[in-house]
Each structure stands twice: as C-alpha cells, then as structure tokens.
Amino acid sequence: MTGPEPLVRPSIDAPPPAVILVRPQLGMNIGAVARAMLNFGLTDLRLVQPRDGWPNADAGPSAVGADIVLDGATVHDSLADACKGLTLVLATAMDTRDMTRRVVTPTQAVKEFIALPAGGGLVFGPERTGLVRADLLQCHAICTIPSNPDFGSLNLAQSVAVLGYEWVRQRHDGLAETVINHPGPALHNELQDLITAIDAKLAEHGYYSPEEGRAAAAKRMMINMFTRPQFSGEEVRSLRGIVRGLVAPRANRARPTQPSS
Amino acid sequence: MTGPEPLVRPSIDAPPPAVILVRPQLGMNIGAVARAMLNFGLTDLRLVQPRDGWPNADAGPSAVGADIVLDGATVHDSLADACKGLTLVLATAMDTRDMTRRVVTPTQAVKEFIALPAGGGLVFGPERTGLVRADLLQCHAICTIPSNPDFGSLNLAQSVAVLGYEWVRQRHDGLAETVINHPGPALHNELQDLITAIDAKLAEHGYYSPEEGRAAAAKRMMINMFTRPQFSGEEVRSLRGIVRGLVAPRANRARPTQPSS
C-alpha cells in the first residue's frame, strides 16, 4: 500500500467511553446504569459525589448481575478528578445552557470516540436537574439524544443504554443487517414439482376461470405466492402433504409411498 | 419527472410502530416503557394479558408524565388480537428459538417500518422469560438488539428506548450531526491582530529560541492554537484582555480606550 493514509484512522481497538455520573441521586438508577453499560460492553463507571455515598445497597438489585461494573466503579470529589486520564469528554444535555459548545448527535459522538487515540468520557447529570453550567464548562462538547421536543427528558439508564447501543451499532457497522435463520431455499425443481401439482389439481377442480386472461392471472398469483417465501426443502415436502390433505381425507386417498413421520 | 419511481418509497409520514407487551409483569416497567415510547414519539401501546390487570397503579409514577400513552393503552386477550390493523410485526428476542425467521438489526427493522404503507408493530415478551415460541410463530421476523454476548439481557424499557431512538435517528437522518452553538468565528483580521500582538510580546520578552527552526516551530504552534478553535469576535477581544492581563498588572498598564463592560 503506497496510497495516502486517511487523516484519522478509527481504531478497531478504541476503548469504550467511560460513563461519569455527576451527583447521582438514587442507588437504583446507578445499578440500572451499570446493567445498561455492561449490555453494550462499557465497564468504566465513575461517580462524582453520589448523594447517598458509595457503595449503595440499592444499586445491586437493579444491576441484575453487572457486578463487575459496580465493583470497579470509582468515586470522585469533582468532575475534573473523574475525567483524569480521559481525552474527549462529552456532556449529555438537552441544551447548551449558554455555553459555546458544539452540540453533537450520539452518532457523531461515537464517531469521535472511535477515532480517539485514548479513552473518552460521557458525563451525565443528576436525575432531576441534569448537569449545571459549572459541569458543562469542563466538557469539550455536548451530546444530545434526538427525542420528542414535547417530552424529551430521558430516564438516566435509558440515556446510557441509547449511547451504549450507538457505540455497539457503529462498531458492528458492516455486519449483516439481516440474518436468515433458515436452511435455505429448496431445490428449484422440488418447488416446481409442488407448483405443478397444485396447478394440475386446481385445473382438474375447475378452479381457473374459463376466461383466458383471468385464468393466467390467477395462476401467476399462485406461483408468486409459493415462490416468494423461499420455502426450504422440508417445507416444500410439508406443503405437498398439506395439498394432499386439502384435496381429500386421508382414508380416501392413496397412501404415500414414503414413510410417514 | 418521467424516470422510473423507486420500488419502495419510504414515507415521511409512516406511522411509528405500535409497542406490544406480551404478559408484562411489573406495572413499574409498563410505566417506564410508556415514558421511553413518548420520548421518541411512539404512542400506540398494546398490552396482552398484563399479569396484574389494567390499569395498574404502579405504572403512573415511572411514566413520569407520559399519561397520554398509558391512558390510550389497549388490553388484549391474545397477541393475534393485539396485532389487528398492523402489517409488519417484529418480535424482539435474543434468538429465534428454532423458528425459521429473518433476524434483523434495529437499523434494518426501522428501515422496513419506514417503508410500510400502514403501521407495524414491535412485540416484547415478559421481563423474566422473553417471548415463547407460540408468540414468535406469529411474527414475521425477529429483531435483535446487538449487545454484549456475555451479558445481553436488556431491561424491557431500555429495549423500547433503543428501538425508539433508532426510529428517531433514521427519520432525522440528514439532519446535521453537529450543531455549533456559537456566534461564529471572529473577523479574520481581528484574530490576526490578536496573534500579531501575542507574537510581538513574546518576541519582546525573548520567548523565541535563538535557533531559527525552533523559533519558527514555536510560532507555528502558537498560531495553530489560536486559529483552530474558531474563537468568536467577543472571545478574541476577551483574549486581548487576557494577554494584557498576563503581561502586566492592571495598575501598571495604560487603560484601554474602549469602554469597559
């Protein structure tokens, strides 16, 4: 490779951002944050002046097993202390409170985190009030989750979940958006045999209109309906049985030569 | 316009998906779901056999004002009944439980919802167990939120929040990922005057190395640091004051001719 390198190379090994809770109020919410973090592979939890001290017995139950996050949480006297060792620090807020800051979407925030040479941080304010100006002043930019303008106040742990999801979503970018949990379509001739059998029985039963155009349309629709779903071989064989079952009761029809299951 | 139309036209007016909770256990969680829904503009909540009946007094507090969603919630005896009037119905689950179904990411799910001519639905199982096979069997495909393979079980309301966020994210696609909350960069000459003033004072104080290359590098770094932040006019004027303040105590320097603020 002799071509120019991109100016910023997103690192596949970029560390996930730290989550910094400033003056969190309820232990239950700290636990729910820990769970949401671990759901999306974030583990670095930093608490600034938690209202009820730390550890907090209310955090465990709502963490539902995310003990590794709670046990590793660090406690700090100030936001500045909690940000030590981090580079890009983003405040989550609904508005900029008159700070002159860039306001970025979660999509943009994660793009920037991925491009960092060292870890970034996401700062969340107290449940009731959010971050105050003195907190925002210490952050490089503000990250706002797009939401209903008339009902935009998100639950703390849900905000963490949304940003954690965005972190995972972008790092999984390029993975298939759709996976087919399916043995794959039947052999083409198996499907055609089914369609031919259905067509023959319908013709025999006078299903098709005597009018040629309408008969052709009805036949096309039948073929479409059985072709589009990409039935597997097993399903096509099951449909053959269903067709036989519709045509006549079991006692009245010849037994299939293949063994019944 | 005489060119061919796209095969599927995403509608800007596509209705948000309905949220269907199958056998939800805790009223508190139903309320938290309602809040997450309204945060992202979803309002159609359908409850299938809620364990503790409906209405449920525990739902209100955790809805934190999303009464419009709770009041409009409908109760159903079966998932099939809850899906009436919907088209594409997606089950949220961690795996397909042996159903032959497409498994889609939230990104893909929302793409498909946006392309629908009528409303789709998202089905969520009970908190403890998730959806059972009989539920999945009735859904067209399965939506799985990408998460930590070792700790993937998401809180119910957080799952709703992630999908609601994805709904808003894609519909907001094309909006700026970054907004500059800022009056805009100063006039170029204002900034240059500041840089010239700093440079002159540094030279006067013997800051620059006698070695020519190092002096040039130091000057370049100073210019970079003051140019890159796109300081506003007000900030450049403030910086002029800061530079003066650094150079000498107020009493020792000439008063500025402009009025002080």
PDB file of all heavy atoms in Angstrom, chain B residues 25-43:
ATOM      1  N   GLN B  25     -45.021  -8.096  33.431  1.00  0.00           N
ATOM      2  CA  GLN B  25     -45.166  -8.452  34.847  1.00  0.00           C
ATOM      3  C   GLN B  25     -45.366  -7.244  35.746  1.00  0.00           C
ATOM      4  O   GLN B  25     -46.346  -7.164  36.472  1.00  0.00           O
ATOM      5  CB  GLN B  25     -43.927  -9.254  35.275  1.00  0.00           C
ATOM      6  CG  GLN B  25     -43.770 -10.541  34.466  1.00  0.00           C
ATOM      7  CD  GLN B  25     -42.479 -11.273  34.789  1.00  0.00           C
ATOM      8  OE1 GLN B  25     -41.390 -10.769  34.569  1.00  0.00           O
ATOM      9  NE2 GLN B  25     -42.603 -12.469  35.320  1.00  0.00           N
ATOM     10  N   LEU B  26     -44.437  -6.288  35.718  1.00  0.00           N
ATOM     11  CA  LEU B  26     -44.459  -5.186  36.678  1.00  0.00           C
ATOM     12  C   LEU B  26     -45.064  -3.916  36.082  1.00  0.00           C
ATOM     13  O   LEU B  26     -44.647  -3.451  35.012  1.00  0.00           O
ATOM     14  CB  LEU B  26     -43.047  -4.877  37.164  1.00  0.00           C
ATOM     15  CG  LEU B  26     -42.336  -5.990  37.941  1.00  0.00           C
ATOM     16  CD1 LEU B  26     -40.908  -5.579  38.261  1.00  0.00           C
ATOM     17  CD2 LEU B  26     -43.099  -6.294  39.229  1.00  0.00           C
ATOM     18  N   GLY B  27     -46.022  -3.353  36.820  1.00  0.00           N
ATOM     19  CA  GLY B  27     -46.609  -2.084  36.392  1.00  0.00           C
ATOM     20  C   GLY B  27     -45.550  -1.000  36.243  1.00  0.00           C
ATOM     21  O   GLY B  27     -45.609  -0.169  35.331  1.00  0.00           O
ATOM     22  N   MET B  28     -44.557  -1.032  37.134  1.00  0.00           N
ATOM     23  CA  MET B  28     -43.470  -0.051  37.065  1.00  0.00           C
ATOM     24  C   MET B  28     -42.785  -0.093  35.693  1.00  0.00           C
ATOM     25  O   MET B  28     -42.437   0.939  35.124  1.00  0.00           O
ATOM     26  CB  MET B  28     -42.457  -0.378  38.165  1.00  0.00           C
ATOM     27  CG  MET B  28     -41.394   0.641  38.394  1.00  0.00           C
ATOM     28  SD  MET B  28     -40.211   0.051  39.666  1.00  0.00           S
ATOM     29  CE  MET B  28     -39.213  -1.078  38.686  1.00  0.00           C
ATOM     30  N   ASN B  29     -42.607  -1.304  35.173  1.00  0.00           N
ATOM     31  CA  ASN B  29     -41.953  -1.429  33.875  1.00  0.00           C
ATOM     32  C   ASN B  29     -42.848  -0.948  32.734  1.00  0.00           C
ATOM     33  O   ASN B  29     -42.362  -0.383  31.742  1.00  0.00           O
ATOM     34  CB  ASN B  29     -41.539  -2.885  33.638  1.00  0.00           C
ATOM     35  CG  ASN B  29     -40.348  -3.280  34.496  1.00  0.00           C
ATOM     36  OD1 ASN B  29     -39.589  -2.420  34.937  1.00  0.00           O
ATOM     37  ND2 ASN B  29     -40.191  -4.573  34.743  1.00  0.00           N
ATOM     38  N   ILE B  30     -44.160  -1.163  32.866  1.00  0.00           N
ATOM     39  CA  ILE B  30     -45.088  -0.677  31.829  1.00  0.00           C
ATOM     40  C   ILE B  30     -45.021   0.853  31.782  1.00  0.00           C
ATOM     41  O   ILE B  30     -44.992   1.457  30.714  1.00  0.00           O
ATOM     42  CB  ILE B  30     -46.522  -1.171  32.108  1.00  0.00           C
ATOM     43  CG1 ILE B  30     -46.556  -2.718  32.096  1.00  0.00           C
ATOM     44  CG2 ILE B  30     -47.497  -0.610  31.068  1.00  0.00           C
ATOM     45  CD1 ILE B  30     -47.909  -3.308  32.499  1.00  0.00           C
ATOM     46  N   GLY B  31     -44.954   1.461  32.966  1.00  0.00           N
ATOM     47  CA  GLY B  31     -44.830   2.919  33.003  1.00  0.00           C
ATOM     48  C   GLY B  31     -43.531   3.397  32.384  1.00  0.00           C
ATOM     49  O   GLY B  31     -43.505   4.375  31.625  1.00  0.00           O
ATOM     50  N   ALA B  32     -42.441   2.685  32.691  1.00  0.00           N
ATOM     51  CA  ALA B  32     -41.139   3.077  32.125  1.00  0.00           C
ATOM     52  C   ALA B  32     -41.141   2.918  30.608  1.00  0.00           C
ATOM     53  O   ALA B  32     -40.530   3.718  29.885  1.00  0.00           O
ATOM     54  CB  ALA B  32     -40.026   2.230  32.757  1.00  0.00           C
ATOM     55  N   VAL B  33     -41.852   1.897  30.111  1.00  0.00           N
ATOM     56  CA  VAL B  33     -41.983   1.727  28.658  1.00  0.00           C
ATOM     57  C   VAL B  33     -42.745   2.913  28.056  1.00  0.00           C
ATOM     58  O   VAL B  33     -42.347   3.463  27.026  1.00  0.00           O
ATOM     59  CB  VAL B  33     -42.708   0.398  28.329  1.00  0.00           C
ATOM     60  CG1 VAL B  33     -43.187   0.369  26.887  1.00  0.00           C
ATOM     61  CG2 VAL B  33     -41.784  -0.788  28.610  1.00  0.00           C
ATOM     62  N   ALA B  34     -43.833   3.312  28.729  1.00  0.00           N
ATOM     63  CA  ALA B  34     -44.631   4.432  28.219  1.00  0.00           C
ATOM     64  C   ALA B  34     -43.779   5.697  28.114  1.00  0.00           C
ATOM     65  O   ALA B  34     -43.851   6.440  27.129  1.00  0.00           O
ATOM     66  CB  ALA B  34     -45.835   4.670  29.129  1.00  0.00           C
ATOM     67  N   ARG B  35     -42.958   5.924  29.131  1.00  0.00           N
ATOM     68  CA  ARG B  35     -42.093   7.110  29.107  1.00  0.00           C
ATOM     69  C   ARG B  35     -41.107   7.040  27.944  1.00  0.00           C
ATOM     70  O   ARG B  35     -40.941   8.000  27.186  1.00  0.00           O
ATOM     71  CB  ARG B  35     -41.322   7.218  30.422  1.00  0.00           C
ATOM     72  CG  ARG B  35     -40.367   8.393  30.461  1.00  0.00           C
ATOM     73  CD  ARG B  35     -39.544   8.401  31.746  1.00  0.00           C
ATOM     74  NE  ARG B  35     -38.648   9.557  31.793  1.00  0.00           N
ATOM     75  CZ  ARG B  35     -37.783   9.780  32.778  1.00  0.00           C
ATOM     76  NH1 ARG B  35     -37.703   8.948  33.800  1.00  0.00           N
ATOM     77  NH2 ARG B  35     -37.001  10.847  32.750  1.00  0.00           N
ATOM     78  N   ALA B  36     -40.458   5.868  27.786  1.00  0.00           N
ATOM     79  CA  ALA B  36     -39.482   5.715  26.702  1.00  0.00           C
ATOM     80  C   ALA B  36     -40.158   5.887  25.343  1.00  0.00           C
ATOM     81  O   ALA B  36     -39.601   6.499  24.429  1.00  0.00           O
ATOM     82  CB  ALA B  36     -38.810   4.346  26.793  1.00  0.00           C
ATOM     83  N   MET B  37     -41.378   5.350  25.220  1.00  0.00           N
ATOM     84  CA  MET B  37     -42.113   5.496  23.952  1.00  0.00           C
ATOM     85  C   MET B  37     -42.323   6.969  23.619  1.00  0.00           C
ATOM     86  O   MET B  37     -41.996   7.428  22.522  1.00  0.00           O
ATOM     87  CB  MET B  37     -43.470   4.793  24.052  1.00  0.00           C
ATOM     88  CG  MET B  37     -43.412   3.265  24.022  1.00  0.00           C
ATOM     89  SD  MET B  37     -45.051   2.523  24.296  1.00  0.00           S
ATOM     90  CE  MET B  37     -45.941   3.103  22.826  1.00  0.00           C
ATOM     91  N   LEU B  38     -42.887   7.702  24.581  1.00  0.00           N
ATOM     92  CA  LEU B  38     -43.218   9.096  24.305  1.00  0.00           C
ATOM     93  C   LEU B  38     -41.953   9.934  24.078  1.00  0.00           C
ATOM     94  O   LEU B  38     -41.959  10.878  23.284  1.00  0.00           O
ATOM     95  CB  LEU B  38     -44.078   9.682  25.430  1.00  0.00           C
ATOM     96  CG  LEU B  38     -44.777  11.009  25.112  1.00  0.00           C
ATOM     97  CD1 LEU B  38     -45.641  10.892  23.860  1.00  0.00           C
ATOM     98  CD2 LEU B  38     -45.617  11.490  26.283  1.00  0.00           C
ATOM     99  N   ASN B  39     -40.857   9.559  24.748  1.00  0.00           N
ATOM    100  CA  ASN B  39     -39.579  10.250  24.494  1.00  0.00           C
ATOM    101  C   ASN B  39     -39.249  10.250  23.011  1.00  0.00           C
ATOM    102  O   ASN B  39     -38.648  11.192  22.495  1.00  0.00           O
ATOM    103  CB  ASN B  39     -38.427   9.554  25.228  1.00  0.00           C
ATOM    104  CG  ASN B  39     -38.339   9.869  26.719  1.00  0.00           C
ATOM    105  OD1 ASN B  39     -37.871   9.053  27.487  1.00  0.00           O
ATOM    106  ND2 ASN B  39     -38.780  11.045  27.131  1.00  0.00           N
ATOM    107  N   PHE B  40     -39.620   9.162  22.326  1.00  0.00           N
ATOM    108  CA  PHE B  40     -39.252   9.051  20.917  1.00  0.00           C
ATOM    109  C   PHE B  40     -40.470   9.097  19.989  1.00  0.00           C
ATOM    110  O   PHE B  40     -40.413   8.659  18.839  1.00  0.00           O
ATOM    111  CB  PHE B  40     -38.424   7.771  20.710  1.00  0.00           C
ATOM    112  CG  PHE B  40     -37.123   7.805  21.479  1.00  0.00           C
ATOM    113  CD1 PHE B  40     -36.931   7.035  22.600  1.00  0.00           C
ATOM    114  CD2 PHE B  40     -36.104   8.667  21.089  1.00  0.00           C
ATOM    115  CE1 PHE B  40     -35.745   7.084  23.330  1.00  0.00           C
ATOM    116  CE2 PHE B  40     -34.915   8.738  21.803  1.00  0.00           C
ATOM    117  CZ  PHE B  40     -34.730   7.948  22.922  1.00  0.00           C
ATOM    118  N   GLY B  41     -41.583   9.637  20.502  1.00  0.00           N
ATOM    119  CA  GLY B  41     -42.733   9.891  19.640  1.00  0.00           C
ATOM    120  C   GLY B  41     -43.607   8.684  19.340  1.00  0.00           C
ATOM    121  O   GLY B  41     -44.428   8.732  18.431  1.00  0.00           O
ATOM    122  N   LEU B  42     -43.444   7.598  20.093  1.00  0.00           N
ATOM    123  CA  LEU B  42     -44.302   6.428  19.916  1.00  0.00           C
ATOM    124  C   LEU B  42     -45.443   6.526  20.936  1.00  0.00           C
ATOM    125  O   LEU B  42     -45.211   6.865  22.101  1.00  0.00           O
ATOM    126  CB  LEU B  42     -43.520   5.136  20.157  1.00  0.00           C
ATOM    127  CG  LEU B  42     -42.674   4.584  18.998  1.00  0.00           C
ATOM    128  CD1 LEU B  42     -41.678   5.599  18.508  1.00  0.00           C
ATOM    129  CD2 LEU B  42     -41.962   3.301  19.415  1.00  0.00           C
ATOM    130  N   THR B  43     -46.682   6.219  20.504  1.00  0.00           N
ATOM    131  CA  THR B  43     -47.811   6.399  21.426  1.00  0.00           C
ATOM    132  C   THR B  43     -48.753   5.200  21.494  1.00  0.00           C
ATOM    133  O   THR B  43     -49.592   5.142  22.377  1.00  0.00           O
ATOM    134  CB  THR B  43     -48.635   7.647  21.033  1.00  0.00           C
ATOM    135  OG1 THR B  43     -49.007   7.531  19.651  1.00  0.00           O
ATOM    136  CG2 THR B  43     -47.838   8.924  21.231  1.00  0.00           C
TER     137      THR B  43
END
